Amino acid sequence: LISAGLSFLFGLLAKENVITFLAVIPLAILLFRKRSWSYIFLVGGILFVITLLYLFTRHSVIGYIINEKEIQDIMNNPFVGMKTAERYGTIGYTLFEYLRLSIFPHPLTHDYYPFHIPKVDFSHWKVMLSVLIHMVLLVFSLVRFNKNRIVVFGILFYLITISIVSNVVVSVGTFMNERFIFMASMGMCLVLAYLLYHFSTKTNQKIWMGILGLVLILFTAKTLMRVPVWENALTLNTAA
């Protein structure tokens, strides 16, 4: 518990997104370890105290925990001037794009400044589909909590860790960024890997291994194509 607590503290000090593991870690224990509720509350309590220590440190250094002053610069607050329906509609749009890019990562860009992502409301089909998909994922996780534990954990891992960068909880200063879902993508990878394993054992294994091989080839090619783009600021911005 001491080493885990220190690891959590160092993670918070390195990247504040780690705060979402305040929920992920107890969830993992609940799903995969035969531990009593008292133990889970003990772990959660330790993580909570460490989180308070981090927030106190953050406030001592920069003077606030969350900047409550609304930024009027559209490059650092793309939601300036938007109505509530437009703000959350656009957030729903970006959540759909995060899901899509997690499965089909094309096209890619290093940033999504205004207005790479269009300003939309809840009438846009991507927003409606995004709300439906996320509701289905959440309901499935609750209904199948003790039956499909790996899939449930992967889904909840994705939803919990993406919450901090979704602009729903706090504003992150831009519509979206691919690097923001680095942690969340682990949940998606876990679900996809489990489904691939499950179906390959139930049906023709060669077909599913062929699909996996094709995905590996395409993703490797995409990676190699993207590496030169990050050579310097000029190549990065030109490609974007």
mmCIF file of all heavy atoms in Angstrom, residues 121-140:
data_model
loop_
_atom_site.group_PDB
_atom_site.id
_atom_site.type_symbol
_atom_site.label_atom_id
_atom_site.label_comp_id
_atom_site.label_asym_id
_atom_site.label_seq_id
_atom_site.Cartn_x
_atom_site.Cartn_y
_atom_site.Cartn_z
ATOM 1 N N ASP A 121 -24.721 21.569 -32.267
ATOM 2 C CA ASP A 121 -25.590 21.341 -31.111
ATOM 3 C C ASP A 121 -26.065 19.889 -31.135
ATOM 4 O O ASP A 121 -25.568 19.077 -31.902
ATOM 5 C CB ASP A 121 -26.764 22.327 -31.077
ATOM 6 C CG ASP A 121 -27.586 22.284 -32.349
ATOM 7 O OD1 ASP A 121 -27.612 21.225 -33.023
ATOM 8 O OD2 ASP A 121 -28.229 23.301 -32.698
ATOM 9 N N PHE A 122 -27.052 19.559 -30.319
ATOM 10 C CA PHE A 122 -27.472 18.168 -30.169
ATOM 11 C C PHE A 122 -28.256 17.631 -31.372
ATOM 12 O O PHE A 122 -28.606 16.453 -31.396
ATOM 13 C CB PHE A 122 -28.292 18.010 -28.891
ATOM 14 C CG PHE A 122 -27.457 18.029 -27.647
ATOM 15 C CD1 PHE A 122 -27.230 19.218 -26.963
ATOM 16 C CD2 PHE A 122 -26.884 16.867 -27.161
ATOM 17 C CE1 PHE A 122 -26.452 19.243 -25.817
ATOM 18 C CE2 PHE A 122 -26.100 16.881 -26.016
ATOM 19 C CZ PHE A 122 -25.885 18.073 -25.343
ATOM 20 N N SER A 123 -28.517 18.475 -32.367
ATOM 21 C CA SER A 123 -29.234 18.014 -33.556
ATOM 22 C C SER A 123 -28.305 17.323 -34.557
ATOM 23 O O SER A 123 -28.779 16.650 -35.474
ATOM 24 C CB SER A 123 -29.941 19.191 -34.235
ATOM 25 O OG SER A 123 -28.996 20.148 -34.706
ATOM 26 N N HIS A 124 -26.982 17.475 -34.374
ATOM 27 C CA HIS A 124 -26.028 16.856 -35.303
ATOM 28 C C HIS A 124 -26.023 15.339 -35.092
ATOM 29 O O HIS A 124 -26.030 14.856 -33.946
ATOM 30 C CB HIS A 124 -24.640 17.434 -35.061
ATOM 31 C CG HIS A 124 -23.660 17.130 -36.163
ATOM 32 N ND1 HIS A 124 -23.063 15.899 -36.322
ATOM 33 C CD2 HIS A 124 -23.172 17.917 -37.153
ATOM 34 C CE1 HIS A 124 -22.255 15.927 -37.353
ATOM 35 N NE2 HIS A 124 -22.304 17.151 -37.889
ATOM 36 N N TRP A 125 -25.969 14.577 -36.193
ATOM 37 C CA TRP A 125 -26.082 13.119 -36.082
ATOM 38 C C TRP A 125 -24.940 12.494 -35.298
ATOM 39 O O TRP A 125 -25.130 11.518 -34.571
ATOM 40 C CB TRP A 125 -26.170 12.484 -37.469
ATOM 41 C CG TRP A 125 -24.896 12.525 -38.287
ATOM 42 C CD1 TRP A 125 -24.511 13.496 -39.152
ATOM 43 C CD2 TRP A 125 -23.861 11.530 -38.295
ATOM 44 N NE1 TRP A 125 -23.287 13.192 -39.704
ATOM 45 C CE2 TRP A 125 -22.867 11.985 -39.203
ATOM 46 C CE3 TRP A 125 -23.662 10.319 -37.634
ATOM 47 C CZ2 TRP A 125 -21.701 11.266 -39.458
ATOM 48 C CZ3 TRP A 125 -22.508 9.606 -37.888
ATOM 49 C CH2 TRP A 125 -21.543 10.075 -38.792
ATOM 50 N N LYS A 126 -23.744 13.071 -35.390
ATOM 51 C CA LYS A 126 -22.620 12.532 -34.636
ATOM 52 C C LYS A 126 -22.813 12.728 -33.132
ATOM 53 O O LYS A 126 -22.412 11.879 -32.333
ATOM 54 C CB LYS A 126 -21.304 13.183 -35.077
ATOM 55 C CG LYS A 126 -20.733 12.632 -36.370
ATOM 56 C CD LYS A 126 -19.337 13.156 -36.609
ATOM 57 C CE LYS A 126 -18.735 12.555 -37.878
ATOM 58 N NZ LYS A 126 -17.349 13.026 -38.112
ATOM 59 N N VAL A 127 -23.419 13.843 -32.760
ATOM 60 C CA VAL A 127 -23.668 14.110 -31.344
ATOM 61 C C VAL A 127 -24.710 13.140 -30.803
ATOM 62 O O VAL A 127 -24.534 12.551 -29.728
ATOM 63 C CB VAL A 127 -24.127 15.564 -31.139
ATOM 64 C CG1 VAL A 127 -24.391 15.833 -29.660
ATOM 65 C CG2 VAL A 127 -23.094 16.544 -31.680
ATOM 66 N N MET A 128 -25.789 12.957 -31.552
ATOM 67 C CA MET A 128 -26.843 12.024 -31.126
ATOM 68 C C MET A 128 -26.294 10.603 -31.023
ATOM 69 O O MET A 128 -26.590 9.880 -30.063
ATOM 70 C CB MET A 128 -28.022 12.088 -32.097
ATOM 71 C CG MET A 128 -28.779 13.406 -32.051
ATOM 72 S SD MET A 128 -30.307 13.387 -33.031
ATOM 73 C CE MET A 128 -29.619 13.428 -34.695
ATOM 74 N N LEU A 129 -25.481 10.204 -32.003
ATOM 75 C CA LEU A 129 -24.892 8.865 -31.980
ATOM 76 C C LEU A 129 -23.910 8.726 -30.823
ATOM 77 O O LEU A 129 -23.842 7.676 -30.169
ATOM 78 C CB LEU A 129 -24.188 8.582 -33.314
ATOM 79 C CG LEU A 129 -23.616 7.170 -33.504
ATOM 80 C CD1 LEU A 129 -24.710 6.119 -33.342
ATOM 81 C CD2 LEU A 129 -22.948 7.035 -34.870
ATOM 82 N N SER A 130 -23.173 9.778 -30.565
ATOM 83 C CA SER A 130 -22.207 9.776 -29.459
ATOM 84 C C SER A 130 -22.915 9.575 -28.127
ATOM 85 O O SER A 130 -22.489 8.757 -27.297
ATOM 86 C CB SER A 130 -21.420 11.088 -29.439
ATOM 87 O OG SER A 130 -20.556 11.147 -28.330
ATOM 88 N N VAL A 131 -23.998 10.317 -27.907
ATOM 89 C CA VAL A 131 -24.771 10.181 -26.661
ATOM 90 C C VAL A 131 -25.310 8.764 -26.537
ATOM 91 O O VAL A 131 -25.220 8.136 -25.464
ATOM 92 C CB VAL A 131 -25.929 11.197 -26.627
ATOM 93 C CG1 VAL A 131 -26.842 10.929 -25.432
ATOM 94 C CG2 VAL A 131 -25.386 12.623 -26.565
ATOM 95 N N LEU A 132 -25.839 8.219 -27.631
ATOM 96 C CA LEU A 132 -26.399 6.864 -27.622
ATOM 97 C C LEU A 132 -25.327 5.832 -27.295
ATOM 98 O O LEU A 132 -25.532 4.960 -26.428
ATOM 99 C CB LEU A 132 -27.037 6.553 -28.979
ATOM 100 C CG LEU A 132 -27.600 5.137 -29.150
ATOM 101 C CD1 LEU A 132 -28.724 4.887 -28.150
ATOM 102 C CD2 LEU A 132 -28.088 4.929 -30.586
ATOM 103 N N ILE A 133 -24.176 5.912 -27.954
ATOM 104 C CA ILE A 133 -23.102 4.938 -27.745
ATOM 105 C C ILE A 133 -22.605 4.969 -26.307
ATOM 106 O O ILE A 133 -22.446 3.931 -25.658
ATOM 107 C CB ILE A 133 -21.927 5.200 -28.713
ATOM 108 C CG1 ILE A 133 -22.345 4.889 -30.152
ATOM 109 C CG2 ILE A 133 -20.715 4.340 -28.336
ATOM 110 C CD1 ILE A 133 -21.297 5.271 -31.188
ATOM 111 N N HIS A 134 -22.374 6.166 -25.781
ATOM 112 C CA HIS A 134 -21.853 6.278 -24.421
ATOM 113 C C HIS A 134 -22.878 5.820 -23.381
ATOM 114 O O HIS A 134 -22.497 5.234 -22.355
ATOM 115 C CB HIS A 134 -21.398 7.712 -24.145
ATOM 116 C CG HIS A 134 -20.101 8.070 -24.800
ATOM 117 N ND1 HIS A 134 -20.029 8.524 -26.096
ATOM 118 C CD2 HIS A 134 -18.819 8.007 -24.352
ATOM 119 C CE1 HIS A 134 -18.765 8.749 -26.419
ATOM 120 N NE2 HIS A 134 -18.015 8.449 -25.381
ATOM 121 N N MET A 135 -24.155 6.070 -23.646
ATOM 122 C CA MET A 135 -25.194 5.585 -22.744
ATOM 123 C C MET A 135 -25.255 4.059 -22.767
ATOM 124 O O MET A 135 -25.379 3.409 -21.729
ATOM 125 C CB MET A 135 -26.552 6.169 -23.126
ATOM 126 C CG MET A 135 -26.710 7.647 -22.793
ATOM 127 S SD MET A 135 -26.543 7.989 -21.003
ATOM 128 C CE MET A 135 -27.943 7.084 -20.365
ATOM 129 N N VAL A 136 -25.134 3.475 -23.959
ATOM 130 C CA VAL A 136 -25.145 2.014 -24.098
ATOM 131 C C VAL A 136 -23.949 1.407 -23.364
ATOM 132 O O VAL A 136 -24.084 0.399 -22.666
ATOM 133 C CB VAL A 136 -25.138 1.603 -25.587
ATOM 134 C CG1 VAL A 136 -24.854 0.101 -25.739
ATOM 135 C CG2 VAL A 136 -26.460 1.939 -26.245
ATOM 136 N N LEU A 137 -22.775 2.004 -23.521
ATOM 137 C CA LEU A 137 -21.575 1.505 -22.845
ATOM 138 C C LEU A 137 -21.740 1.551 -21.331
ATOM 139 O O LEU A 137 -21.366 0.606 -20.624
ATOM 140 C CB LEU A 137 -20.358 2.335 -23.263
ATOM 141 C CG LEU A 137 -19.878 2.168 -24.703
ATOM 142 C CD1 LEU A 137 -18.741 3.152 -25.005
ATOM 143 C CD2 LEU A 137 -19.417 0.743 -24.965
ATOM 144 N N LEU A 138 -22.295 2.646 -20.839
ATOM 145 C CA LEU A 138 -22.474 2.802 -19.396
ATOM 146 C C LEU A 138 -23.506 1.804 -18.858
ATOM 147 O O LEU A 138 -23.263 1.139 -17.835
ATOM 148 C CB LEU A 138 -22.910 4.229 -19.081
ATOM 149 C CG LEU A 138 -23.025 4.590 -17.591
ATOM 150 C CD1 LEU A 138 -21.702 4.377 -16.873
ATOM 151 C CD2 LEU A 138 -23.491 6.032 -17.427
ATOM 152 N N VAL A 139 -24.630 1.668 -19.547
ATOM 153 C CA VAL A 139 -25.675 0.739 -19.112
ATOM 154 C C VAL A 139 -25.170 -0.702 -19.168
ATOM 155 O O VAL A 139 -25.405 -1.496 -18.247
ATOM 156 C CB VAL A 139 -26.945 0.904 -19.971
ATOM 157 C CG1 VAL A 139 -27.949 -0.204 -19.664
ATOM 158 C CG2 VAL A 139 -27.580 2.267 -19.732
ATOM 159 N N PHE A 140 -24.459 -1.033 -20.244
ATOM 160 C CA PHE A 140 -23.891 -2.382 -20.368
ATOM 161 C C PHE A 140 -22.961 -2.677 -19.191
ATOM 162 O O PHE A 140 -22.990 -3.774 -18.619
ATOM 163 C CB PHE A 140 -23.123 -2.510 -21.684
ATOM 164 C CG PHE A 140 -22.391 -3.814 -21.833
ATOM 165 C CD1 PHE A 140 -23.025 -4.944 -22.329
ATOM 166 C CD2 PHE A 140 -21.047 -3.919 -21.466
ATOM 167 C CE1 PHE A 140 -22.356 -6.157 -22.457
ATOM 168 C CE2 PHE A 140 -20.367 -5.128 -21.586
ATOM 169 C CZ PHE A 140 -21.027 -6.243 -22.085
#
